Amino acid sequence: MIAPEVKQQTLILVLGDQLSHGRGALKNASPDTACIVMAEVKEEATYVRHNKHKIAFIFSAMRHFRDELRAQGFQVYYYPFEEGLNSLQGAVELALKASGCSSVRCCEPGEYRLFKSMSEWAFSVPFERFEDDRFLSTPAEFAAWADGRKQLRMEYFYRIMRKKYGLLLELDGTAAGGKWNFDAENRKGWRSQKPIPDRPSLELDEITTDVIELVQREFAEHPGDLSQFYLSVSAEGAEAQLSWFIDHCLADFGTYQDALAEESPWLFHGLVSAYLNTGLLDPLDVCNRVEAAWRDGRVPLAAAEGFIRQVLGWREYVRGMYWYYMPDYAELNVLGAKRALPDWFWTAETDMRCMHKALAQTLELGYGHHIQRLMVIGNFALLAGLDVEQVCAWFLAVYIDAFEWVELPNTLGMALHGDGGLMASKPYAASGKYIQRQGDHCRDCVYDPKKVTGEGACPYNSLYWRFIDKHQARLKSNPRMALIMRNWETREADTKATIVSWGDDTLQRLAPDQAEG
Ligand code: DLZ
Ligand code: SF4
């Protein structure tokens, strides 16, 4: 008699941000040869104080993904949070015992923290890691582009990516519309020019309702108001969100991409980054859909280009920068920013209207759009010299789409200039005038954006000049800062001293700290 064939099965670990069928962790995976392990574990859920929305979104999306895999015939070992597992490594060990699999595989994680920890994992069977193919460029490709270059500017990397994927090109391979970048047309401020579409509300199914209850119970101390849960938790739902965005918002996305609005946290933004970063949406598919909307005449080129630049350009570029410079990147703090993060970053209790609005919606919803993050919150942190590590940990915790590969370069490099200009050719520092121009927050603020010193002066103004003064030596040599440095240098010594001293007092009031001068 011939003995029945014993199948050599592989156990595949699928992480909470690897929820893509047929790609990433599941590349070439078949139910005939692989079992799956997924786990909701304490270590991942608490390494920073993640927003409740982020935890609920990931847990619910993981549970939906588990059910989809089971429907495809996979054996899935799933450990819900209620089972009290601490670590992913522990989950793999349990699943190995239960399944009797003869090897373990895992797609490389998105964060260095876990990457490092995984390099020390060992099991009773061979453990193999492989590259994540869900991005449009690889770390090796980025390194080949970056090696030997003096400056690693996103714009040049983006053009290479446009050519690689043939996106927004004329037939002869040149940029559609004769320009690679339409950013100059995408900077309009908000003055309630037009109605902002109401986002469709979602029906929550039983899985999501259960997860919300769990998160309310187990993560009560984390920020987030789950009575306003607004995220889709499956690829199908994420697709529907993308379609809604393309149909209702994309045409205005470009124009108002840098705007700040009292009346809406979302404006015309896509809210697709959380879906992209967890694998529910595919970046190339998203870019193709947006390009098609332009080619069909449904949206202007500047809108499509502005959007595609974020996904094909920025997103890939920041990931490239992260893996190129980690782990040293996380230690950078060239401006010596050490002031303690004020408590009101966790409560939104500040009388600066722009800051209050950005913080309140961030804490409640886990969402802030690019300009709120960069030019309101990040700009304040930069001007105030808030501790780089603390600010980065805060950004990583509060946003639904924040994974370190994308969060760290954006916060440390772009917003805080902590890398001394590896990413951005000048600090994104701005006074109240910029915030006033971009939106309508100043109208309802106790401060006056036109005043630099004296009662009621907008804090951003004196802090801006104080920052310029404090970092003169470094900024003087930057040609992009020449105009502003000359403006400062040619002022009377008395005037400068008054502004700096007002800035010092303002800072001491808003973010008290003995450590920083
Ligand atoms: C963010 C997150 C959270 C909150 N919880 C889990 C979890 O319980 N299990 C899991 O597999 N992944 C989780 N994640 C996502 C991981 O933190 C993410 O995969 C790593 O940070 C690597 O990017
Ligand atoms: Fe923000 Fe200053 Fe405007 Fe107030 S006045 S909303 S603090 S920019």
Side-chain angles (χ1 to χ4, degrees):
M1 207 172 91
I2 303 169
E5 193 188 342
V6 179
K7 275 195 213 149
Q8 292 292 304
Q9 290 228 317
T10 298
L11 182 66
I12 301 176
L13 170 64
V14 178
L15 302 175
D17 56 353
Q18 297 178 340
L19 308 179
S20 316
H21 291 289
R23 292 174 294 128
L26 290 163
K27 190 178 177 188
N28 300 329
S30 144
D32 295 334
T33 52
C35 300
I36 311 292
V37 54
M38 298 175 75
E40 300 166 9
V41 298
K42 198 154 173 210
E43 265 181 17
E44 293 307 307
T46 57
Y47 67 88
V48 284
R49 197 144 58 102
H50 299 289
N51 196 300
K52 291 193 190 92
H53 285 274
K54 181 175 171 187
I55 305 177
F57 165 60
I58 290 179
F59 284 6
S60 179
M62 285 173 73
R63 291 180 186 198
H64 282 87
F65 195 71
R66 166 201 64 195
D67 292 350
E68 289 164 11
L69 290 175
R70 283 182 180 156
Q72 291 167 18
F74 281 102
Q75 167 81 34
V76 184
Y77 296 88
Y78 193 95
Y79 302 97
F81 197 77
E82 290 89 335
E83 293 202 18
L85 262 59
N86 264 322
S87 72
L88 290 165
Q89 190 181 7
V92 171
E93 270 158 8
L94 281 182
L96 266 180
K97 246 189 230 142
S99 66
C101 282
S102 54
S103 61
V104 182
R105 281 162 61 77
C106 174
C107 170
E108 291 291 14
E111 298 197 343
Y112 188 83
R113 167 191 65 81
L114 195 53
F115 172 84
K116 178 120 194 313
S117 151
M118 278 187 179
S119 46
E120 281 147 29
W121 287 6
F123 303 103
S124 53
V125 298
F127 172 45
E128 184 209 356
R129 283 145 65 188
F130 54 95
E131 188 156 275
D132 192 343
D133 66 353
R134 298 172 306 152
F135 290 86
L136 302 176
S137 58
T138 64
E141 257 173 7
F142 186 89
W145 172 76
D147 282 344
R149 244 167 228 269
K150 255 188 53 217
Q151 289 193 319
L152 305 183
R153 293 287 166 254
M154 192 285 293
E155 186 59 31
Y156 299 110
F157 178 74
Y158 168 53
R159 291 179 195 180
I160 294 173
M161 296 295 283
R162 286 267 295 274
K163 290 178 191 157
K164 177 175 173 186
Y165 288 97
L167 279 159
L168 301 180
L169 298 183
E170 303 288 357
L171 286 176
D172 65 359
T174 57
K179 272 199 296 191
W180 290 103
N181 183 320
F182 288 80
D183 202 24
E185 293 170 34
N186 288 344
R187 292 180 187 152
K188 229 187 199 142
W190 185 249
R191 298 288 180 271
S192 301
Q193 289 94 329
K194 52 190 336 191
I196 300 166
D198 282 333
R199 301 193 73 85
S201 56
L202 294 176
E203 293 275 322
L204 305 184
D205 65 9
E206 204 181 323
I207 293 182
T208 301
T209 320
D210 284 353
V211 163
I212 285 177
E213 258 174 44
L214 165 83
V215 174
Q216 303 273 37
R217 193 172 64 240
E218 298 289 338
F219 303 93
E221 300 307 313
H222 292 222
D225 173 10
L226 284 179
S227 70
Q228 303 183 56
F229 190 74
Y230 59 99
L231 293 157
S232 289
V233 287
S234 66
E236 195 190 344
E239 278 295 328
Q241 296 275 338
L242 174 67
S243 296
W244 183 86
F245 163 71
I246 291 174
D247 293 345
H248 296 91
C249 297
L250 180 59
D252 293 305
F253 166 80
T255 312
Y256 299 110
Q257 138 179 38
D258 286 1
L260 294 161
E262 274 287 308
E263 67 207 82
S264 166
W266 334 106
L267 268 162
F268 301 95
H269 287 272
L271 272 71
V272 292
S273 50
Y275 307 130
L276 283 167
N277 295 353
T278 47
L280 297 183
L281 288 178
D282 171 63
L284 187 57
D285 181 46
V286 168
C287 290
N288 284 332
R289 298 267 306 275
V290 167
E291 183 189 37
W294 165 64
R295 292 207 183 270
D296 294 349
R298 290 193 285 148
V299 304
L301 177 57
E305 189 283 317
F307 186 89
I308 286 176
R309 182 167 6 106
Q310 306 310 325
V311 178
L312 180 71
W314 261 114
R315 186 169 181 273
E316 295 293 330
Y317 168 80
V318 295
R319 178 170 180 263
M321 291 292 278
Y322 181 77
W323 288 110
Y324 192 60
Y325 285 114
M326 280 302 275
D328 301 344
Y329 199 79
E331 307 295 322
L332 295 176
N333 185 359
V334 301
L335 299 180
K338 289 266 179 240
R339 184 173 283 261
L341 190 80
D343 290 345
W344 48 263
F345 266 66
W346 293 103
T347 61
E349 282 169 19
T350 168
D351 55 9
M352 290 181 281
R353 181 72 185 171
C354 54
M355 203 45 173
H356 168 73
K357 288 292 278 187
L359 289 177
Q361 71 168 71
T362 295
L363 296 168
E364 273 165 31
L365 304 168
Y367 180 76
H369 64 69
H370 168 66
I371 290 298
Q372 290 174 311
R373 297 191 208 193
L374 180 68
M375 297 310 292
V376 177
I377 303 173
N379 182 25
F380 180 87
L382 169 73
L383 300 182
L386 300 186
D387 185 275
V388 168
E389 207 181 317
Q390 289 181 26
V391 176
C392 290
W394 183 86
F395 269 85
L396 187 58
V398 293
Y399 291 109
I400 46 165
D401 54 3
F403 297 91
E404 201 189 58
W405 63 265
V406 60
E407 174 279 325
L408 189 74
N410 271 309
T411 312
L412 186 151
M414 195 182 184
L416 303 179
H417 210 68
D419 65 5
L422 290 175
M423 270 187 78
S425 55
K426 71 180 184 94
Y428 277 87
S431 67
K433 208 156 79 182
Y434 173 86
I435 296 173
Q436 185 192 25
R437 194 172 62 230
Q438 291 315 115
D440 52 4
H441 294 316
C442 300
R443 196 189 54 207
D444 297 328
C445 186
V446 296
Y447 297 110
D448 180 350
K450 289 195 272 317
K451 270 181 96 173
V452 179
T453 57
E455 197 55 32
C458 167
Y460 281 89
N461 292 338
S462 56
L463 293 182
Y464 175 76
W465 291 113
R466 180 184 173 278
F467 174 84
I468 297 291
D469 188 70
K470 192 169 150 72
H471 298 291
Q472 255 180 102
R474 166 177 284 275
L475 300 179
K476 239 171 29 193
S477 57
N478 184 333
R480 292 198 63 201
M481 296 298 289
L483 211 64
I484 214 75
M485 299 317 288
R486 224 174 6 259
N487 175 325
W488 182 243
E489 276 161 13
T490 52
R491 293 189 191 194
E492 297 286 334
D494 276 4
T495 315
K496 291 201 281 196
T498 308
I499 296 174
V500 170
S501 153
W502 186 266
D504 285 343
D505 293 349
T506 301
L507 193 51
Q508 199 54 28
R509 179 170 64 81
L510 295 173
D513 191 333
Q514 304 307 318
E516 203 230 23

